[in-house]
Amino acid sequence: MPEDRVLYLDSDLIVDDAIDDLFTIPFNGKEILGVGDIFDSDDQGDATTNCLINSGVLVLDNAALKKNNVSRDLIEMSRKNYVNGDQQIINEYFKDKIGLLPHKYNHQVGATYFAYSRNDQRMINLLNSVKDPKIIHYVMKGKPSDFCYWGIMREKWWFYRNLELSKLVQKFTIFDSMKIGTPKFATEALIFTYSANIQNLESLIKALPEVHFNIAAYTEVATGLLNLMKYPNVTVYPAIIYARVEELIKNCELYLDINYYQKDENVLRQIEDKGIPILSFEDTANKDSKYSNYKIFGNDQVDQMTQEIKKLDSRE
């Protein structure tokens, strides 16, 4: 490439803000600029002095690299068996020739599930410290295009995925982003479950296409629940992380306490604290609940619950 400066981006990321400064930031004698790998950075969001960089976002001093003819050496190194492939090769070969960029230029959200499942507070703090990411990177195995994605910012990826290319290239025209994106529903309903048995669920889904049914579980879920995602108003969150649970509760407008067996008291308490209506059927209800906004329907009263939900939708 003829340019003196080159920006390399992995294919599993999105650019969510202007990154003009990456084309002017000085190299200060370094040949590569990158962001510390999330597995090798401190919990304040800064890369440690001798940390490895993540190779998904790289600013290259192409003029310097050409002078040193590094291509031959790198290709030769790649013939060996490196556990972390190109990332390990780049870090090993360039060593002291790498400058560090802030984590907002490579916000590695794909590691969120790993961080929470391992209760790695250092990584959790690092992820939470990035408030204004410019480049969002879905590292690790799962990707937001997967049928079930365990991490965060999935909607952000799909927002860009659904953009019309013709709109993107019309640089000097006004583009109304409000005209595209995910479907808008009248109500966000939440079901948190430890069981695949959820009373009258599919009947409610069919009767209420204007309601978005968010079904979450800390565990893997049965195929029967996953299959409900054939309906456009259903999203299933298997093996959900707590950060995602908090987000669902924040957006929740209706809670359906219709799962059999174990309930999650922490989730229910937060729902009650927000004053959100809770609806249930006789067989799945908590009959000892003292919550004033808790309503129980007969097991065969799907139509009555449907009408009650529609009344909730019509409230201002």
Side-chain angles (χ1 to χ4, degrees):
M1 299 182 67
E3 288 75 15
D4 288 341
R5 180 183 296 244
V6 173
L7 173 63
Y8 168 80
L9 301 174
D10 264 1
S11 60
D12 58 348
L13 55 76
I14 54 176
V15 178
D16 195 41
D17 201 350
I19 55 172
D20 306 57
D21 40 356
L22 288 182
F23 295 92
T24 58
I25 188 171
F27 284 101
N28 292 329
K30 306 296 184 181
E31 296 182 352
I32 289 180
L33 305 179
V35 174
D37 189 80
I38 192 168
F39 292 95
D40 196 40
S41 300
D42 68 26
D43 60 4
Q44 301 302 313
D46 296 319
T48 53
T49 304
N50 298 312
C51 77
L52 301 177
I53 60 165
N54 180 277
S55 61
V57 178
L58 300 173
V59 183
L60 309 174
D61 185 349
N62 201 34
L65 297 182
K66 284 182 176 180
K67 288 180 182 178
N68 298 329
N69 194 22
V70 301
S71 298
R72 181 184 62 245
D73 296 337
L74 292 171
I75 291 173
E76 187 61 32
M77 287 181 70
S78 71
R79 301 185 193 281
K80 302 176 184 178
N81 184 22
Y82 284 88
V83 176
N84 291 322
D86 63 290
Q87 181 162 302
Q88 188 173 353
I89 292 172
I90 289 170
N91 278 279
E92 181 176 318
Y93 183 83
F94 290 99
K95 293 181 182 176
D96 298 330
K97 298 178 181 178
I98 297 175
L100 295 176
L101 297 170
H103 274 264
K104 64 182 178 181
Y105 292 109
N106 187 350
H107 186 34
Q108 297 154 54
V109 298
T112 307
Y113 177 74
F114 179 92
Y116 277 90
S117 63
R118 303 290 180 91
N119 194 27
D120 189 323
Q121 199 58 51
R122 180 194 62 80
M123 290 180 64
I124 293 171
N125 290 344
L126 174 52
L127 287 162
N128 290 338
S129 72
V130 183
K131 306 299 183 184
D132 56 345
K134 291 177 175 285
I135 299 176
I136 300 168
H137 192 182
Y138 302 92
V139 297
M140 304 190 70
K141 189 174 182 180
K143 305 299 178 186
S145 56
D146 294 346
F147 186 65
C148 286
Y149 173 61
W150 295 347
I152 60 174
M153 295 191 176
R154 184 176 196 266
E155 293 81 1
K156 179 74 72 171
W157 187 89
W158 278 102
F159 172 83
Y160 287 105
R161 171 65 178 81
N162 291 334
L163 284 175
E164 288 286 343
L165 184 60
S166 60
K167 297 293 184 183
L168 293 177
V169 299
Q170 292 174 11
K171 183 176 179 180
F172 301 104
T173 63
I174 297 174
F175 174 49
D176 185 3
S177 62
M178 298 301 294
K179 293 181 179 180
I180 58 93
T182 55
K184 303 298 182 184
F185 294 98
T187 301
E188 292 290 328
L190 175 60
I191 301 169
F192 197 94
T193 184
Y194 289 88
S195 167
N197 296 323
I198 303 178
Q199 192 173 11
N200 297 324
L201 175 58
E202 191 161 10
S203 297
L204 291 170
I205 291 169
K206 292 178 179 178
L208 294 161
E210 69 277 13
V211 174
H212 186 199
F213 291 81
N214 298 281
I215 307 165
Y218 283 133
T219 60
E220 295 289 349
V221 302
T223 303
L225 277 185
L226 291 176
N227 286 342
L228 292 176
M229 290 182 72
K230 65 185 179 184
Y231 298 106
N233 60 330
V234 175
T235 304
V236 180
Y237 303 87
I240 194 170
I241 59 175
Y242 190 69
R244 190 65 152 160
V245 175
E246 288 182 319
E247 182 180 328
L248 291 177
I249 293 174
K250 179 182 177 181
N251 296 327
C252 178
E253 298 167 301
L254 168 67
Y255 190 88
L256 296 176
D257 188 19
I258 57 176
N259 61 292
Y260 287 93
Y261 313 120
Q262 182 181 352
K263 313 286 185 176
D264 193 291
E265 297 300 329
N266 180 47
V267 171
L268 286 169
R269 183 170 59 254
Q270 292 185 70
I271 294 294
E272 293 176 5
D273 288 345
K274 290 186 64 180
I276 295 170
I278 301 178
L279 305 183
S280 188
F281 294 108
E282 287 179 348
D283 281 355
T284 49
N286 175 13
K287 297 182 177 61
D288 297 325
S289 175
K290 302 296 190 296
Y291 182 47
S292 60
N293 211 358
Y294 194 110
K295 190 167 184 177
I296 302 174
F297 294 82
N299 292 327
D300 59 350
Q301 291 185 316
V302 176
D303 291 341
Q304 288 86 336
M305 182 183 283
T306 299
Q307 293 307 312
E308 179 69 19
I309 295 174
K310 287 182 176 180
K311 283 196 293 183
L312 294 173
D313 293 346
S314 64
R315 294 183 311 175
E316 293 189 2

